[in-house]
Amino acid sequence: MATSAITRATYRVTEETLADMVLEKSEFPSDFQAHQVVREGELDNEQLARNGFVGSTAQRFLEAGRVTGTMRELGPTSNMAMSDGFDFMAASVVHLFDSPESVSRWMHEIFLKDFEDHVGDSVGQGHQLVATNRVETSGFFDESVALHVLQGGPTGLISSTVVDFRLGRLLGVAFIGSIGDHQRPELTMQIGQALEKRMAAVVLGV
């Protein structure tokens, strides 16, 4: 793996710096400007494990090289119609790892593999993971991967389009949640590229 100036600069990043890296609401695409911030702040290994697949543990994530993370998630307001094709959620997340190699392993051995291994399983709140398929990515500085994830639940189908990308020892994640079976690769990558630009600006300013 070629070592670049920006990769070296990510070793100066601290846990406190991460909060400056996630997108502000105003930096999300216009499609989400009427949404509201529903979750934001630190995302440590304990919290990530609680929201992960059955069997996820903070220890597993620690051993995978993940230090901590931060996120900002936008969701619908009460007057929004939750109809088929509506993009109800968008988020940007930044994870800090101990090395770029750990980021790469996470992308392939935890992000992609965990989703693909759990197709058909319950994912809580009456939902089942129905299908996943990999989505082609482009326009990122370094390695990137993406998935379209389909879940079924009491109210029908929900889709997520998720992009993971590496910036040195940082992992950036952008995702969009949609009602029904819909893919949003271009819009999700637009969020991801905006996130990458913000992350790089913070990293180089540290």
Side-chain angles (χ1 to χ4, degrees), residues 68-89:
T68 190
T70 189
M71 56 92 70
R72 179 167 289 120
E73 180 181 308
L74 306 183
T77 58
S78 59
N79 62 344
M80 289 179 171
M82 301 289 280
S83 55
D84 184 68
F86 175 63
D87 297 331
F88 66 93
M89 179 196 302

Side-chain angles (χ1 to χ4, degrees), residues 103-128:
V103 176
S104 184
R105 284 193 295 270
W106 178 282
M107 291 164 67
H108 293 276
E109 297 172 16
I110 292 184
F111 169 56
L112 293 177
K113 190 173 187 301
D114 276 6
F115 271 104
E116 292 172 346
D117 285 353
H118 284 85
V119 171
D121 292 353
S122 170
V123 288
Q125 298 180 323
H127 284 258
Q128 181 186 37

Side-chain angles (χ1 to χ4, degrees), residues 36-163:
Q36 61 185 338
V37 176
V38 292
R39 285 198 302 167
E40 61 183 347
E42 185 180 7
L43 186 63
D44 63 22
N45 286 328
E46 290 282 356
Q47 292 169 296
L48 194 64
R50 283 198 299 271
N51 293 309
F53 291 109
V54 174
S56 295
T57 64
Q59 185 63 29
R60 179 193 183 206
F61 297 156
L62 181 65
E63 290 172 358
R66 185 182 186 273
V67 180
T68 190
T70 189
M71 56 92 70
R72 179 167 289 120
E73 180 181 308
L74 306 183
T77 58
S78 59
N79 62 344
M80 289 179 171
M82 301 289 280
S83 55
D84 184 68
F86 175 63
D87 297 331
F88 66 93
M89 179 196 302
S92 68
V93 188
V94 181
H95 305 260
L96 178 65
F97 284 81
D98 59 9
S99 71
E101 292 78 12
S102 291
V103 176
S104 184
R105 284 193 295 270
W106 178 282
M107 291 164 67
H108 293 276
E109 297 172 16
I110 292 184
F111 169 56
L112 293 177
K113 190 173 187 301
D114 276 6
F115 271 104
E116 292 172 346
D117 285 353
H118 284 85
V119 171
D121 292 353
S122 170
V123 288
Q125 298 180 323
H127 284 258
Q128 181 186 37
L129 183 55
V130 176
T132 67
N133 63 281
R134 299 193 186 193
V135 177
E136 187 174 341
T137 62
S138 62
F140 291 96
F141 172 77
D142 199 345
E143 186 178 11
S144 59
V145 296
L147 276 179
H148 171 248
V149 179
L150 187 63
Q151 298 180 24
T155 58
L157 295 173
I158 295 175
S159 298
S160 301
T161 307
V162 190
V163 176

